[in-house]
Coordinates of all heavy atoms in Angstrom, one line a residue:
R2 N -43.4 -24.0 -19.9 CA -43.6 -22.5 -20.2 C -42.8 -21.7 -19.2 O -42.2 -20.6 -19.6 CB -45.1 -22.1 -20.2 CG -45.9 -22.8 -21.2 CD -45.6 -22.3 -22.6 NE -46.2 -23.2 -23.6 CZ -45.8 -23.3 -24.9 NH1 -44.8 -22.5 -25.3 NH2 -46.4 -24.1 -25.7
R3 N -42.7 -22.1 -18.0 CA -41.9 -21.3 -17.0 C -40.5 -21.4 -17.4 O -39.7 -20.4 -17.3 CB -42.2 -21.9 -15.6 CG -43.5 -21.5 -15.0 CD -43.6 -21.7 -13.5 NE -43.1 -22.9 -13.0 CZ -43.8 -24.0 -12.8 NH1 -45.1 -24.0 -13.0 NH2 -43.2 -25.1 -12.3
L4 N -40.0 -22.6 -17.8 CA -38.6 -22.8 -18.2 C -38.3 -21.8 -19.4 O -37.3 -21.1 -19.3 CB -38.3 -24.2 -18.6 CG -37.0 -24.5 -19.2 CD1 -35.9 -24.2 -18.2 CD2 -36.9 -25.9 -19.6
L5 N -39.2 -21.8 -20.4 CA -38.9 -20.9 -21.5 C -38.9 -19.5 -21.1 O -38.1 -18.7 -21.6 CB -40.0 -21.1 -22.6 CG -39.9 -22.4 -23.5 CD1 -41.0 -22.4 -24.5 CD2 -38.5 -22.4 -24.2
A6 N -39.8 -19.1 -20.2 CA -39.8 -17.7 -19.7 C -38.5 -17.4 -19.0 O -37.9 -16.3 -19.2 CB -41.0 -17.5 -18.8
H7 N -38.0 -18.3 -18.2 CA -36.7 -18.0 -17.5 C -35.6 -17.9 -18.5 O -34.7 -17.1 -18.3 CB -36.5 -19.1 -16.5 CG -37.3 -19.0 -15.3 ND1 -37.3 -17.9 -14.4 CD2 -38.3 -19.8 -14.8 CE1 -38.1 -18.1 -13.4 NE2 -38.8 -19.3 -13.6
L8 N -35.5 -18.8 -19.5 CA -34.5 -18.8 -20.5 C -34.5 -17.5 -21.3 O -33.5 -16.9 -21.6 CB -34.5 -20.0 -21.4 CG -34.2 -21.3 -20.7 CD1 -34.5 -22.5 -21.6 CD2 -32.7 -21.4 -20.2
E9 N -35.7 -17.1 -21.7 CA -35.8 -15.8 -22.4 C -35.4 -14.6 -21.6 O -34.8 -13.7 -22.1 CB -37.3 -15.7 -22.9 CG -37.6 -16.7 -24.0 CD -39.1 -16.6 -24.5 OE1 -39.8 -15.8 -23.9 OE2 -39.4 -17.5 -25.3
A10 N -35.8 -14.6 -20.3 CA -35.4 -13.5 -19.4 C -33.8 -13.5 -19.3 O -33.2 -12.4 -19.3 CB -36.0 -13.7 -18.1
G11 N -33.2 -14.7 -19.1 CA -31.8 -14.8 -19.0 C -31.1 -14.3 -20.3 O -30.1 -13.5 -20.2
R12 N -31.7 -14.6 -21.4 CA -31.1 -14.1 -22.7 C -31.2 -12.6 -22.8 O -30.3 -11.9 -23.2 CB -31.8 -14.8 -23.9 CG -31.3 -14.3 -25.2 CD -31.9 -15.1 -26.4 NE -31.7 -14.5 -27.7 CZ -30.5 -14.5 -28.3 NH1 -29.5 -15.0 -27.8 NH2 -30.4 -13.9 -29.5
A13 N -32.4 -12.1 -22.4 CA -32.6 -10.6 -22.5 C -31.6 -9.9 -21.6 O -31.0 -8.9 -22.0 CB -34.0 -10.3 -22.1
A14 N -31.3 -10.5 -20.4 CA -30.4 -9.8 -19.5 C -29.0 -9.9 -20.1 O -28.2 -8.9 -20.0 CB -30.4 -10.6 -18.1
Q15 N -28.6 -11.0 -20.7 CA -27.3 -11.0 -21.3 C -27.1 -10.1 -22.5 O -26.1 -9.5 -22.7 CB -27.0 -12.5 -21.7 CG -26.8 -13.4 -20.6 CD -25.7 -13.0 -19.6 OE1 -24.6 -12.5 -20.0 NE2 -25.9 -13.2 -18.3
L16 N -28.2 -10.0 -23.3 CA -28.2 -9.0 -24.4 C -28.0 -7.6 -23.9 O -27.3 -6.8 -24.5 CB -29.4 -9.2 -25.3 CG -29.5 -10.4 -26.1 CD1 -30.8 -10.6 -26.8 CD2 -28.3 -10.5 -27.2
Q17 N -28.7 -7.3 -22.8 CA -28.6 -6.0 -22.2 C -27.2 -5.7 -21.7 O -26.6 -4.7 -21.9 CB -29.6 -5.8 -21.1 CG -29.5 -4.4 -20.4 CD -29.8 -3.3 -21.4 OE1 -30.7 -3.3 -22.2 NE2 -28.9 -2.2 -21.4
G18 N -26.6 -6.8 -21.1 CA -25.2 -6.7 -20.7 C -24.3 -6.4 -21.8 O -23.3 -5.7 -21.7
A19 N -24.5 -7.1 -23.0 CA -23.7 -6.9 -24.2 C -23.8 -5.5 -24.7 O -22.8 -4.9 -25.0 CB -24.1 -7.9 -25.2
R20 N -25.0 -4.9 -24.7 CA -25.2 -3.5 -25.1 C -24.4 -2.6 -24.2 O -23.8 -1.6 -24.6 CB -26.7 -3.2 -25.2 CG -27.4 -3.8 -26.4 CD -28.8 -3.2 -26.5 NE -29.7 -3.7 -25.5 CZ -30.4 -4.9 -25.6 NH1 -30.2 -5.7 -26.6 NH2 -31.2 -5.2 -24.6
T21 N -24.5 -2.8 -22.9 CA -23.8 -2.0 -21.9 C -22.3 -2.1 -22.1 O -21.6 -1.1 -22.1 CB -24.2 -2.4 -20.4 OG1 -25.6 -2.3 -20.3 CG2 -23.4 -1.6 -19.4
A22 N -21.8 -3.3 -22.3 CA -20.4 -3.5 -22.5 C -19.9 -2.8 -23.8 O -18.9 -2.2 -23.9 CB -20.1 -5.0 -22.6
E23 N -20.8 -2.9 -24.8 CA -20.4 -2.2 -26.1 C -20.3 -0.7 -25.9 O -19.4 -0.1 -26.5 CB -21.5 -2.5 -27.1 CG -21.1 -2.1 -28.5 CD -22.2 -2.6 -29.5 OE1 -23.4 -2.5 -29.2 OE2 -21.7 -2.9 -30.6
A24 N -21.1 -0.1 -25.1 CA -21.1 1.3 -24.8 C -19.8 1.7 -24.1 O -19.4 2.8 -24.1 CB -22.3 1.7 -24.0
M25 N -19.2 0.7 -23.4 CA -18.0 1.0 -22.7 C -16.7 1.1 -23.6 O -15.7 1.4 -23.1 CB -17.7 -0.1 -21.6 CG -18.8 -0.2 -20.5 SD -18.6 -1.7 -19.5 CE -17.0 -1.5 -18.8
G26 N -16.9 0.7 -24.8 CA -15.8 0.8 -25.8 C -14.8 -0.3 -25.5 O -15.1 -1.4 -25.1
E27 N -13.5 0.0 -25.6 CA -12.4 -1.0 -25.4 C -12.5 -1.6 -24.1 O -12.2 -2.8 -23.9 CB -11.1 -0.3 -25.6 CG -10.3 -0.5 -26.8 CD -10.4 -1.8 -27.5 OE1 -9.9 -2.9 -27.1 OE2 -11.0 -1.9 -28.6

């Protein structure tokens, strides 16, 4: 369960990074 929680947190952080990058445009 700890492993799953860490993997989900890592995925959430990367998705947030993708949203931030998308807002940066080109």
Side-chain angles (χ1 to χ4, degrees):
R2 297 289 170 202
R3 286 195 317 266
L4 173 62
L5 283 182
H7 286 294
L8 292 170
E9 289 173 5
R12 178 172 168 74
Q15 292 301 321
L16 289 173
Q17 181 58 47
R20 285 189 289 274
T21 300
E23 188 174 41
M25 295 169 61
E27 256 328 285

